Amino acid sequence: LSVCSKLCYAIGGAPNQVAGSAASFFLQIYLLDIAHITPFHASLVLFIGKASGAVTDPVAGFFISKSRWTKIGRLMPWVLACTPFTIVSYFLMWYLPPFVSGRVAWYLTFYCLFQALTTLFQVPYSALTMFLSTDQKDRDSATAYRMTMEVLGTLIGAALQGQIVASAHVSPHCTVNPSVNTTDSWHDTPSIPDPSDPLSHQAKVYMIAAGVIAGVYLLGIVILFLGVKERDDPYALNSDRAIPFCKGLALTMKHGPYVKLTASFLLISTAVQLEQGNFVLFCTHAAGLRNHFQYLVVTILVSAVVSVPFWQKFLQRFGKKCAACGISWMIPFAVMLVTIPNLILAYFVAFVSGLSIAASLLLPWSMLPDVVDNFRLQNPHGKGHETIFYSSYVFFTKMSAGIGLGISAAGLEFTGYKPGICRQSDDVILTLKLLIGAVPAILILLGLFILLFYPITEESRKETKLALEELR
C-alpha cells in the first residue's frame, strides 16, 4: 500500500470521529443545560440513541454481506450513500426547536437517526481494512494511520466544539468562589438563562459548531472516495460461497479469540465513554474547572494523537497484548484528580489519559484483523464474514456504551442534578466523582483481566500468515 492510499483511507474515517467526539463530550451537557431536558430524559435519549445504533450494526452487516460487487467495490457504495443523510441528521441533532414540550422526542429522533447512519458508515469503512491488502504489516500500518487520523478527528471535534460553544457555558457569577456562608439563593441562581428561543446565543453557537463539523464530514468522504481502491476478496476461490449472515453470526459468537477480544474491549470502551461523557460535567460542577474544560479536553486529545505512533511501534516490538497494559495508566491519575482537584494535576491527568485512550482506540482495531485471519484459516471455503465480525463488534461496544451513559445520566437524575445552577448538591458531585474515577477503573481492570486469556500471540500471527499465503 502506498502512503497516499493509507492516508486517504485514514482521512475518510476522521469525520465520523469528529462528529462522534463532539457528541460524546458535549451532548449530555447540551441536553441538560441548553435544551433544559431533565437528566432522566437525557439518559433515555443517550441510551436509546446508542441502542438504535447498536441494533443497526447486525442489520447493516446482513445487508452489506448480501451486496454485490460494483465498479467502485462492495463496501464503498454504502459509505457514500449514507453520508448526506448523516450530515443532515447531525445538524438537526444540535438544533434547538422553538417548542418545549416535544424537545425530548426531537432529540431522540435525530440522535437515533445519527447513530444508525454512522453505523451504516462505520461497518463498511472498518471492514474495508481487510480489502486494502493481504499483507498483515500493510493492514497494521493502515490501521495505525487510520487510528492516528481518527484520534486527530476526535481532537478536532472536541476542540472545534469546545472553542465555539465555550461561551454558552460560562457565566461570570459562577466563576467566583462562594464564601463559607453561601446562601441558598446563590445555589439556585441559574448560571445560564433559559434559551427557549432558538435564536438565543447558546443555541446559535451550537448550530455554528454543527455546521462546521458537517463541512468536515463532506471533505473527508470526498478524499476517501478519490484516494482508496477497494479490492475483491483476495483469498476466496470462485467456487467459494458467501457464509449466510445468521450462520456466520453463530460461528463468530463461538470463535474463542473473538469472544475474548470483544468482551475485554466492551468493558474498556464503556469506561472510556463514561470518562468522555461526564468529563465536562465533572470539570464544571465537581472540580471547579469551569473555565478550563475545553483546554483539558484538547490536552487529552493532543496527547492521544501524538502517542498513537508510539503505541504502533510498541506493539510491533513487544506485542499487542503487552501494549494493552498502557490502558491502565489512566486509573491512578483519574483517582488522584477526583481526590485532589488541582488545576496543574488536572492537566497532567489529561495528558496521561490521552496516552491510555490512544492505546484503547488502536488495539482492538489492530487485533480484530488477526481474529478474522484466524477464523479464515479455520473456515477456508467461506467468504463474506468480515462485515459480520466488524458489525457485531461495533454492536457490542455501542450497546455497552449506551448502557453506561444511560446509567450515568439516570444516576445524576436520582441524586438531584438541576440544570443551569452554579453549584450542584454534594450527592451530584459525589456521583460525578464516581463516574470519572471508580467506575472506569473497575471496568478497565476487568477488561484487562479478560484480555489475559486472549489466545492469539505474535508467534501464532506469523503461523497464520504463512498458512493463509499457502491457501492463497
Side-chain angles (χ1 to χ4, degrees), residues 14-36:
N16 225 21
Q17 301 306 314
V18 172
S21 169
S24 294
F25 280 107
F26 291 95
L27 185 59
Q28 182 162 275
I29 198 168
Y30 170 81
L31 293 175
L32 293 175
D33 285 358
I34 305 300
H36 283 204

Side-chain angles (χ1 to χ4, degrees), residues 181-414:
N181 297 320
T182 303
T183 60
D184 290 337
S185 61
W186 191 92
H187 290 277
D188 295 332
T189 303
S191 62
I192 301 155
D194 184 5
S196 56
D197 180 8
L199 298 178
S200 66
H201 170 71
Q202 290 83 5
K204 279 183 179 178
V205 293
Y206 270 96
M207 289 293 290
I208 291 169
V212 171
I213 291 174
V216 173
Y217 233 116
L218 199 57
L219 178 64
I221 299 306
V222 170
I223 292 172
L224 174 69
F225 175 68
L226 296 177
V228 174
K229 184 178 181 182
E230 180 184 346
R231 299 174 58 183
D232 203 355
D233 191 339
Y235 295 118
L237 304 172
N238 291 332
S239 59
D240 289 347
R241 293 188 175 184
I243 299 175
F245 182 82
C246 293
K247 181 183 176 182
L249 189 60
L251 288 172
T252 58
M253 292 300 104
K254 295 176 184 176
H255 192 58
Y258 179 69
V259 172
K260 292 180 178 67
L261 179 71
T262 303
S264 172
F265 281 98
L266 181 149
L267 295 169
I268 292 169
S269 65
T270 303
V272 173
Q273 284 286 333
L274 283 173
E275 291 272 357
Q276 285 185 334
N278 293 286
F279 187 76
V280 176
L281 282 169
F282 172 79
C283 290
T284 303
H285 298 299
L289 301 171
R290 181 185 294 271
N291 293 331
H292 295 272
F293 70 81
Q294 67 267 38
Y295 305 113
L296 288 167
V297 168
V298 169
T299 303
I300 291 172
L301 297 171
V302 167
S303 169
V305 171
V306 171
S307 60
V308 168
F310 161 76
W311 286 118
Q312 176 64 14
K313 294 289 184 184
F314 187 95
L315 64 86
Q316 285 177 344
R317 183 165 183 177
F318 299 103
K320 296 178 181 179
K321 285 180 69 174
C322 187
C325 297
I327 299 170
S328 64
W329 291 358
M330 75 165 72
I331 295 174
F333 296 101
V335 172
M336 285 172 63
L337 178 63
V338 166
T339 53
I340 315 168
N342 176 275
L343 180 59
I344 296 173
L345 179 63
Y347 277 100
F348 188 66
V349 170
F351 176 77
V352 175
S353 296
L355 298 178
S356 297
I357 288 171
S360 71
L361 291 173
L362 175 64
L363 281 170
W365 296 111
S366 181
M367 297 166 88
L368 199 53
D370 301 335
V371 173
V372 176
D373 280 347
N374 182 273
F375 182 84
R376 157 71 76 182
L377 199 59
Q378 296 181 22
N379 301 270
H381 295 294
K383 62 179 182 179
H385 55 277
E386 294 84 3
T387 52
I388 299 172
F389 273 100
Y390 281 87
S391 63
S392 54
Y393 175 77
V394 177
F395 166 79
F396 286 119
T397 53
K398 277 189 179 178
M399 184 61 78
S400 66
I403 292 171
L405 289 175
I407 290 173
S408 72
L412 293 175
E413 167 82 13
F414 178 75

